[in-house]
Amino acid sequence: MSDMIPSANITRTRANQEHYVSDIDETGLGAVDAVPDEGAPSSMWGEAWKRLRKRPIFWFAAIIIAATILISLFPGLFTGQDPAYCVLERHNGPAASGHPFGFDKQGCDIYARVIYGARASVSVGILTTIAVVIIGATIGALAGYFGGWLDALLSRITDVFFAVPLLLAAIVFMQMFKESRSIMMVVTVLAAFGWTQIARITRGAVMTAKNEEFVTAARATGASRARILVSHIIPNSMAPIIVYATVALGTFIVSEASLSFMGIGLPSSVISWGADISAAQGSLRDAPMNLFYPGMALALTVLSFIMMGDAVREALDPKARK
């Protein structure tokens, strides 16, 4: 047995007894236990961005959303045609040079109306989402942080509005004020009844965040309750709010299109996808493409926001990734 073990690794402790001793490790314990600190630790948003940029669905949705917003802001860059210029002689005419989508039953350029219709639909969606986040996040944060009678009062108010269907309430109020229909009117009505879900999400997130250790540390430093809520709790509760707001933006675009489709949304002087879809349903058999193009633009826009919301949710929520 002694012939099989190198002599350098043999230590005699007793007579006629041998045992194996490993070579001395030249690496110190300090180097083994050291934690690499070449770079600063990534934040939650930094880690989310690392995961998002590796997902094709995120880039697909981001490209469509960016293109839609660019079209909404600068429609003149994509078409030189006047969407309000209609010639009846071109009734349901086929595609022609400078008119790739053809003409509708009024002789209007469908491509130009699809391009200019993005402005109204996207504007309603973005403005309504901003208003809903402000209203819902404020109510939910106050209810979740302070609790007690304020939580009970705000929760009951939220339940009352939550019980009213969004589209039904919008139909009723738009009918009441149909003489003063405008983009801001649609935004106001949708925001007045669309904030309840974000309020509930914010309340739950704030109730979870206010029990974290960083809040206890902030109280120990003498920070006021308002400062703790604004500077510590709300920033750490934004992840579920952003996820829902991204999906809700597409929902509000559909709501505006539904109201315009029924003729009680935006006024007829405002070009929108919902109004064009409503006008095209009468010629569905003769010219189905009149409905296809604005409907496809609406569907792609809403789908992109839904996919973006799913991608952001999976990037921010470890449970969703599992």
Side-chain angles (χ1 to χ4, degrees), residues 2 16 18 21 34 48 56-57 59 61 86 110 112 124 152 160 186 191 214 229 235 262 265 277 291 298 304 316:
S2 59
N16 301 325
E18 301 171 351
V21 179
I57 189 175
W59 291 110
C86 306
I110 297 178
V124 170
V160 170
V186 176
F214 62 85
L229 177 61
M262 291 181 286
I277 293 174
L291 186 145
L298 176 64
S304 64
L316 293 175

Side-chain angles (χ1 to χ4, degrees), residues 5 17 27 62 91 109 127 146 186 200 222 280 310-311:
I5 302 176
Q17 186 174 2
T27 304
H91 168 77
D109 186 355
L127 293 176
F146 291 101
V186 176
R200 287 189 168 188
D310 289 340

Side-chain angles (χ1 to χ4, degrees), residues 133-147:
V133 169
I134 293 174
I135 299 173
T138 301
I139 293 177
L142 293 176
Y145 183 64
F146 291 101

Side-chain angles (χ1 to χ4, degrees), residues 111-275:
Y111 174 75
R113 293 188 68 85
V114 169
I115 294 296
Y116 279 87
R119 172 176 292 178
S121 299
V122 174
S123 298
V124 170
I126 292 177
L127 293 176
T128 304
T129 302
I130 293 174
V132 160
V133 169
I134 293 174
I135 299 173
T138 301
I139 293 177
L142 293 176
Y145 183 64
F146 291 101
W149 66 269
L150 183 61
D151 182 20
L153 175 62
L154 295 178
S155 296
R156 298 296 78 76
I157 294 175
T158 302
D159 292 339
V160 170
F161 280 86
F162 192 81
V164 181
L166 173 62
L167 192 58
L168 178 60
I171 292 174
V172 172
F173 277 84
M174 291 304 297
Q175 285 282 30
M176 292 173 57
F177 303 99
K178 60 182 178 180
E179 300 299 330
S180 58
R181 290 182 298 166
S182 63
I183 291 180
M184 293 309 301
M185 185 65 187
V186 176
V187 170
T188 302
V189 172
L190 292 178
F193 294 92
W195 56 269
T196 54
Q197 190 66 34
I198 286 187
R200 287 189 168 188
I201 292 174
T202 305
R203 177 180 178 272
V206 168
M207 292 180 68
T208 302
K210 74 177 183 179
N211 296 319
E212 297 293 338
E213 294 181 355
F214 62 85
V215 176
T216 304
R219 290 196 186 101
T221 60
S224 63
R225 301 183 72 180
R227 177 165 182 170
I228 293 174
L229 177 61
V230 175
S231 302
H232 299 282
I233 294 181
I234 291 181
N236 286 278
S237 305
M238 288 301 296
I241 299 174
I242 292 176
V243 171
Y244 180 78
T246 306
V247 178
L249 200 155
T251 303
F252 293 133
I253 292 177
V254 172
S255 299
E256 179 277 322
S258 301
L259 294 174
S260 298
F261 178 83
M262 291 181 286
I264 57 176
L266 298 177
S268 58
S269 58
V270 179
I271 301 172
S272 68
W273 291 333

